Amino acid sequence: SFAMKAYDEITALKSGDNCLPVFDFYPTYEAYENIMYDFEKNYPDICRIINLGTLASGRKILVAHIGDNLSDVEDEPNFLYTSTMHGDETGGYPTMIKLIDELLCNYGVDDRLTHLVNNINIYINPLANPNGTYRGGNDSVDGAIRYNNTFADLNRNFPDPEDGDHPDGRSYQEETEIFMSFAQDYNISLSCNIHGGAEVANYPWDTYQKLPADVNWWVEQCRTYVDTVHSYSDDNYFRGFDNGISNGYAWYEVQGGRQDHMIYFHRGREFTLEISNRKLVRSE
């Protein structure tokens, strides 16, 4: 089943230090919007919510910008976490809401998190495909689908380095155009796109059989990430593939994916993180 909580139910769960609880539920869509804008209201010095675009449905693509100087463009890396561009791959959605909260409510308390906020322009988008996730209505993720409202797979809808424009034969979707504009306008240096359906850190390329020139760096970073996961998780988590990591094309070829688009066209570095063998994660 899928436990859902409205905005007032969620805020009532806040702890004494004003941190949100660990999510074992999903917010209604309206609660999600309210939570995001609450971050800006409660932490105005270090958080700004950016509406990248309002979809025809009225739902929004929201990003939390977290940093110690939001008014100036600082000479710091621009890092993006984004999740659930496949609407039924929901594990990363509440996880990213909680990550935003952890960074904000521990700023000035936890030295490591404070250092991250002070030295990186952090952007976090918990829900990249709200129309797919709330396909059945704003009060439930039951009925979530992989696709958007026009049944386009958003992770096949980007310009492809090898296969060119419109590799899926579809026009660029409103969500795709929003993220392409965001990458251009905000000069994203590093990014991670969170999915579900497997447990693996997937590094480029997805569209090319050849390995990237910086493959050794990618293997090192993915290996470091997964080794850290192993040290904090049970023995069965992230153990498939090459002990938790894989080259994208070696797994299966993807044309029109966002990972390769961000790297090739925007000269950033993005990898795909699959965090759960179950796509639509049940909340209880």
Side-chain angles (χ1 to χ4, degrees):
S1 64
F2 301 100
M4 307 294 297
K5 290 192 184 295
Y7 174 68
D8 56 348
E9 296 176 289
I10 296 170
T11 55
L13 295 171
K14 285 187 176 181
S15 61
D17 57 5
N18 210 36
C19 293
L20 290 170
V22 174
F23 279 56
D24 58 357
F25 56 87
Y26 291 98
T28 65
Y29 177 75
E30 287 81 3
Y32 165 60
E33 276 201 16
N34 283 324
I35 291 168
M36 291 292 280
Y37 283 108
D38 255 8
F39 288 139
E40 180 179 75
K41 181 175 71 176
N42 294 333
Y43 305 95
D45 294 336
I46 56 171
C47 181
R48 177 170 61 104
I49 300 303
I50 306 168
N51 179 11
L52 300 184
T54 300
L55 305 174
S57 65
R59 301 184 182 112
K60 299 171 183 175
I61 306 294
L62 298 176
V63 167
H65 176 199
I66 300 171
D68 65 328
N69 191 351
L70 301 176
S71 59
D72 296 326
V73 179
E74 295 188 288
D75 186 19
E76 296 175 348
N78 298 317
F79 183 89
L80 170 67
Y81 265 125
T82 183
S83 180
T84 314
M85 73 183 304
H86 289 149
D88 62 346
E89 298 175 12
T90 53
Y93 170 34
T95 303
M96 288 299 101
I97 297 174
K98 183 56 182 168
L99 177 59
I100 295 170
D101 184 63
E102 285 294 304
L103 290 168
L104 297 177
C105 75
N106 288 295
Y107 183 74
V109 177
D110 183 288
D111 289 343
R112 184 168 179 269
L113 296 182
T114 301
H115 178 79
L116 291 175
V117 172
N118 286 345
N119 291 278
I120 303 172
N121 286 314
I122 301 169
Y123 298 90
I124 303 177
N125 162 242
L127 186 57
N129 180 9
N131 287 340
T133 298
Y134 290 97
R135 176 70 179 177
N138 284 351
D139 291 337
S140 180
V141 301
D142 192 13
I145 61 172
R146 175 184 182 91
Y147 310 101
N148 71 349
N149 266 3
T150 67
F151 294 94
D153 186 332
L154 298 178
N155 206 35
R156 305 293 186 274
N157 191 240
F158 285 82
D160 188 273
E162 183 176 52
D163 300 284
D165 294 340
H166 309 289
D168 60 351
R170 303 287 301 266
S171 62
Y172 294 137
Q173 301 297 293
E174 51 184 343
E175 297 92 343
T176 307
E177 291 183 336
I178 284 170
F179 277 103
M180 287 196 291
S181 296
F182 176 69
Q184 184 68 42
D185 295 343
Y186 287 82
N187 190 28
I188 298 300
S189 313
L190 300 165
S191 48
C192 173
N193 192 1
I194 299 176
H195 287 255
E199 295 168 3
V200 63
N202 174 107
Y203 60 88
W205 300 95
D206 282 338
T207 191
Y208 290 125
Q209 186 173 8
K210 62 184 179 183
L211 293 171
D214 56 353
V215 62
N216 291 337
W217 182 88
W218 274 115
V219 170
E220 179 184 7
Q221 300 309 308
C222 289
R223 183 79 274 142
T224 299
Y225 175 85
V226 173
D227 287 349
T228 304
V229 169
H230 289 164
S231 70
Y232 287 97
S233 63
D234 64 50
D235 292 341
N236 297 319
Y237 189 51
F238 262 81
R239 297 293 180 175
F241 299 87
D242 179 11
N243 199 26
I245 74 173
S246 178
N247 166 255
Y249 188 95
W251 182 13
Y252 66 93
E253 182 181 3
V254 170
Q255 300 171 348
R258 207 194 72 184
Q259 169 184 277
D260 289 3
H261 175 80
M262 292 289 284
I263 296 169
Y264 185 88
F265 293 101
H266 294 286
R267 300 296 188 261
R269 278 169 159 162
E270 175 163 302
F271 78 110
T272 303
L273 184 60
E274 304 261 357
I275 66 168
S276 170
N277 284 332
R278 180 188 290 272
K279 287 193 174 189
L280 189 57
V281 180
R282 295 187 178 275
S283 54
E284 58 178 28

